[in-house]
Amino acid sequence: MNKKKNIMFEVKDLEVSYGSIKAIKGISIQVAKGEIVTILGANGAGKTTTLRTISRLHDSNAGTILFKGEDITKTPAHKIVSMGISHSPEGRRIFGILTVEENLILGSYSQKSTDKKILNWVYDLFPRLSERKRQLAGTLSGGEQQMLAIGRALMSRPEMLLLDEPSLGLAPILVKAIFKTVKEISQSGVTVLLVEQNAKAALKLADRAYVLEVGKLVLSGTSKELLASEKIQEAYLGKKRREA
Ligand SMILES: Nc1ncnc2c1ncn2[C@@H]1O[C@H](COP(=O)(O)OP(=O)(O)O)[C@@H](O)[C@H]1O
Ligand SMILES: [Mg+2]
């Protein structure tokens, strides 16, 4: 499995239910410091539930979540943020009646005050946001709203960034631009856990990947291995099996 020594984040045998329905049925994930790891899966596989459980927006039924060696399985959500894990949620969840800058400042709530350096770094990463500081977030395009959601998550100076389907509903050119920025974020030292339905884009970006199917991990490996796997090609990359 993962030979890298510096494991920063670990999920062990995690189970999560909605009432009597088991959404996550015992999954284990490891992320080394500095890695980009992706969790791939179709709609309903349990990707969002996994990230929401890590952020403690949802309770787990069994299993352990460790961050830098510390058990955070029962740690409250606000503390997770101040410990260094930040979450850019599915569907962006930005505040439409606030400006771009106000939304970003809200992202730094876990800090004593908004760090101008971080704000400027976010504007450097996303020049489009810089040009639209005073614009109401609700008037941004889908791609710009996604940039804002990621930018806001960065405002708490995370060591690990959780990204929930940043490519959702975006044109391929915008997906490319956003993923390029995720790479830059990673290169600046932030560890990234990315969940995606867009397997092709995610595997091009990530170091390693896990494949989730109805709450269970069915495959894992380096992105290179998964891109070459016939199962992945058929199920997620839309390639037909070659006739023997
Ligand atoms: N709030 C909820 N109440 C009940 N079931 C839910 C809720 N949220 C998600 N689920 C169910 O949990 C499963 C996993 O959903 P989700 O984590 O959103 O998947 P994904 O993000 O991979 O599309 C699905 O079967 C979904 O219907
Ligand atoms: Mg989802």
Side-chain angles (χ1 to χ4, degrees):
M1 240 193 77
N2 183 15
K3 288 194 194 101
K4 290 192 182 150
K5 284 162 242 130
N6 203 354
I7 296 301
M8 181 191 227
F9 175 78
E10 197 165 5
V11 166
K12 281 187 199 166
D13 306 318
L14 186 71
E15 293 179 23
V16 185
S17 297
Y18 294 104
S20 60
I21 298 180
K22 275 196 178 172
I24 301 296
K25 304 164 187 169
I27 65 167
S28 298
I29 291 165
Q30 290 186 330
V31 183
K33 189 172 165 56
E35 268 191 315
I36 303 179
V37 171
T38 186
I39 303 174
L40 304 175
N43 202 13
K47 304 181 300 299
T48 295
T49 302
T50 302
L51 290 195
R52 285 180 58 84
T53 306
I54 294 169
S55 287
R56 292 283 295 130
L57 300 169
H58 200 81
D59 286 331
S60 50
N61 298 85
T64 320
I65 305 171
L66 298 166
F67 182 58
K68 296 198 288 183
E70 206 172 316
D71 188 334
I72 59 164
T73 318
K74 301 280 179 214
T75 304
H78 70 272
K79 202 148 174 255
I80 298 279
V81 179
S82 57
M83 284 177 81
I85 300 179
S86 191
H87 187 162
S88 174
E90 185 179 58
R92 300 145 199 171
R93 303 285 169 97
I94 56 156
F95 297 98
I97 57 159
L98 299 181
T99 66
V100 165
E101 187 145 305
E102 285 164 345
N103 269 277
L104 289 175
I105 288 167
L106 278 176
S108 58
Y109 72 92
S110 66
Q111 312 280 305
K112 283 191 199 80
S113 60
T114 298
D115 186 339
K116 265 271 178 219
K117 257 203 254 163
I118 292 279
L119 188 61
N120 287 333
W121 175 55
V122 169
Y123 284 144
D124 284 346
L125 286 168
F126 298 108
R128 276 188 193 225
L129 297 182
S130 176
E131 292 156 13
R132 292 165 174 79
K133 283 177 202 181
R134 318 260 170 262
Q135 192 173 321
L136 292 183
T139 65
L140 296 174
S141 72
E144 290 158 1
Q145 290 192 10
Q146 187 58 62
M147 293 171 193
L148 181 56
I150 299 172
R152 185 181 54 186
L154 291 174
M155 291 296 293
S156 64
R157 300 170 152 274
E159 287 181 62
M160 185 167 90
L161 179 63
L162 311 178
L163 292 173
D164 196 344
E165 293 212 51
S167 79
L168 195 69
L170 302 185
I173 188 159
L174 272 173
V175 175
K176 229 175 165 179
I178 284 181
F179 277 36
K180 190 167 165 253
T181 308
V182 173
K183 182 101 198 167
E184 273 180 63
I185 293 166
S186 158
Q187 283 164 344
S188 79
V190 180
T191 302
V192 177
L193 181 59
L194 163 74
V195 314
E196 266 296 343
Q197 274 189 69
N198 186 339
K200 199 172 176 184
L203 286 173
K204 275 195 200 158
L205 175 73
D207 300 299
R208 288 188 306 112
Y210 293 86
V211 180
L212 194 57
E213 281 179 9
V214 282
K216 280 190 174 166
L217 289 175
V218 292
L219 213 59
S220 67
T222 64
S223 295
K224 212 174 156 191
E225 284 163 356
L226 265 67
L227 276 167
S229 133
E230 234 176 53
K231 181 170 162 50
I232 292 290
Q233 294 199 354
E234 279 173 44
Y236 296 95
L237 303 175
K239 287 186 192 160
K240 290 220 177 80
R241 188 194 290 271
R242 258 180 279 142
E243 300 299 332

